[in-house]
Amino acid sequence: MTSARILFLSHSHPFGPFRVGSHHYARVLAERGADVVHLSTPISLAHRVTGRVSRKDLAAVPRGPQRDASGVRNLVPRTILPAPVGAPKVARMLERAGIPTGFDVVLIDQPLLWDSSVRALSDTVVYRPTDLYPDGVKHRLQQQILDAADGVIATSDEVLRGLGALRVPALVLSNGADVARFSAPVADQTRDARCVYVGALDDRFDWERIEAWARAFADVDFVIAGPGGRPPSPLPSNVDPVGPVPYEDVPALLHTARVGLLPLSDHPLNAGRSPMKLYEYLAAGLSVVARETPGIRGRSDLGIEVYTDADDADAALERALRHPSPNEAGESAAADASWERKTDALEEFVRAVRGRAE
């Protein structure tokens, strides 16, 4: 798809502390010569008035399309009402930004961006669900997407199962890592006993597990980086909640640690997650300790240790701390999950879908 026009309709824009799969696919495809537009969930007046988007966060988001260093045109529309309540249709938002509306393929992962104009933007529409939507508005819109899409690329087996029976080709393509960015320095030495988490601190994050680990491993430092909720109780002194860390600074933070943490809560939607941080941790030379889910299984040979509940969580962290550091086996596994290889698979699937329609 080196000369193709490609539109991503994504749940997240690239101007904050996180990067999601659509950002990486867009980057790699643009670097390969495609004309890529990445349109994210609009920021509405309602979001601004209610404080769901702070002034600081809003100031970081440019008005109108902005082309990044890879050549991707990123667009975060400003609207009065949020999608899908009263925001303009996608075709209209593109037109207002001066972006032509004919594309070779549309890849949509944000159900809230689905409207009647999307199907007309391309002969090939691929739905790329990244989460479970068992009910609500997103579930209803997801059903409409499935009725109209030409193919499905799910980020986990659990997410694919959650869609039910499909009438179109489907592929499971888990998240990967920007290996070149996260790789540890060549002269990296064995690291101190430090554990790190980077990500959202919402109801999918288990603060109680962090507190319990910190009390059980008093000589280990725990660095918790990310925006969102506060811990439910005072934390031990060896826990440092540092707040959001800019994406460019995350690799340097990871290179100071020995273990990457994925302390997932009991939230039912965690079952469908394909955590990008798993491979970013590995690429950075960390071992990993994570709560086991359908998408995260233990691989002690790669430095991936899992637990199921409080009874085995301490033992899992102990094993991760004992793993050789830097984690060279994990680094090799992360190389196999690079975004370049993931994009190869995405392109192959899209070509097959397009050929099927011809």
Side-chain angles (χ1 to χ4, degrees):
M1 298 195 295
T2 54
S3 60
R5 294 198 72 230
I6 302 169
L7 173 65
F8 285 87
L9 299 177
S10 174
H11 53 73
S12 300
H13 65 69
F15 302 106
F18 298 131
R19 297 294 180 273
V20 299
S22 64
H23 302 155
H24 293 290
Y25 285 126
R27 170 182 59 81
V28 175
L29 287 166
E31 289 172 350
R32 292 178 177 182
D35 177 11
V36 182
V37 176
H38 187 282
L39 187 153
S40 312
T41 309
I43 298 176
S44 70
L45 179 61
H47 288 127
R48 304 194 292 272
V49 169
T50 59
R52 287 183 61 188
V53 176
S54 69
R55 290 186 177 182
K56 179 181 177 182
D57 291 342
L58 185 65
V61 179
R63 288 183 174 274
Q66 182 180 84
R67 194 180 294 274
D68 64 21
S70 299
V72 179
R73 280 184 288 178
N74 292 288
L75 175 63
V76 189
R78 307 283 180 95
T79 61
I80 303 297
L81 295 174
V85 177
K89 293 182 177 181
V90 168
R92 181 59 178 150
M93 289 190 285
L94 291 168
E95 290 167 356
R96 286 180 177 178
I99 298 174
T101 55
F103 295 90
D104 294 294
V105 60
V106 174
L107 295 122
I108 177 170
D109 64 55
Q110 169 58 291
L112 297 181
L113 285 172
W114 179 257
D115 63 55
S116 59
S117 74
V118 175
R119 179 64 266 190
L121 294 174
S122 175
D123 291 335
T124 305
V125 174
V126 174
Y127 181 41
R128 203 180 68 83
T130 62
D131 215 336
L132 295 168
Y133 304 116
D135 49 37
V137 174
K138 288 186 178 180
H139 174 78
R140 175 176 58 81
L141 291 169
Q142 177 174 260
Q143 293 305 119
Q144 294 179 19
I145 297 172
L146 292 173
D147 288 341
D150 302 296
V152 171
I153 300 176
T155 51
S156 72
D157 291 318
E158 198 70 13
V159 166
L160 184 61
R161 279 193 291 270
L163 301 178
L166 298 176
R167 58 169 188 80
V168 294
L171 172 70
V172 174
L173 190 56
S174 61
N175 284 320
D178 188 351
V179 175
R181 177 183 293 274
F182 283 89
S183 292
V186 174
D188 204 9
Q189 302 297 315
T190 299
R191 302 172 189 179
D192 294 334
R194 174 179 291 173
C195 301
V196 64
Y197 170 82
V198 179
L201 302 175
D202 54 21
D203 54 1
R204 299 192 189 192
F205 179 81
D206 189 352
W207 276 111
E208 293 182 0
R209 172 47 37 212
I210 295 297
E211 181 181 359
W213 271 333
R215 296 193 188 283
F217 296 84
D219 57 342
V220 175
D221 293 329
F222 293 81
V223 178
I224 310 300
R230 297 177 178 274
S233 59
L235 295 169
S237 60
N238 57 331
V239 180
D240 186 8
V242 298
V245 173
Y247 181 72
E248 310 80 57
D249 298 336
V250 171
L253 172 61
L254 297 185
H255 296 158
T256 69
R258 190 179 183 95
V259 177
L261 304 173
L262 286 170
L264 306 180
S265 71
D266 289 328
H267 198 295
L269 297 187
N270 273 329
R273 292 184 68 178
S274 171
M276 201 176 304
K277 282 293 169 286
L278 174 63
Y279 286 107
E280 290 177 349
Y281 289 159
L282 294 176
L286 284 70
S287 56
V288 178
V289 61
R291 185 166 187 170
E292 187 174 34
T293 70
I296 305 176
R297 302 297 188 186
R299 283 288 305 272
S300 293
D301 57 321
L302 301 180
I304 303 171
E305 304 292 347
V306 297
Y307 63 94
T308 56
D309 53 35
D311 292 338
D312 58 348
D314 287 355
L317 179 53
E318 180 66 39
R319 293 193 302 272
L321 286 165
R322 288 200 310 264
H323 193 82
S325 175
N327 178 11
E328 294 180 0
E331 291 177 20
S332 297
D336 290 335
S338 70
W339 284 113
E340 286 73 19
R341 294 195 180 187
K342 299 290 182 178
T343 304
D344 290 343
L346 181 141
E347 288 191 276
E348 182 179 351
F349 179 81
V350 170
R351 281 195 294 267
V353 168
R354 294 179 67 186
R356 184 171 178 263
E358 292 175 356

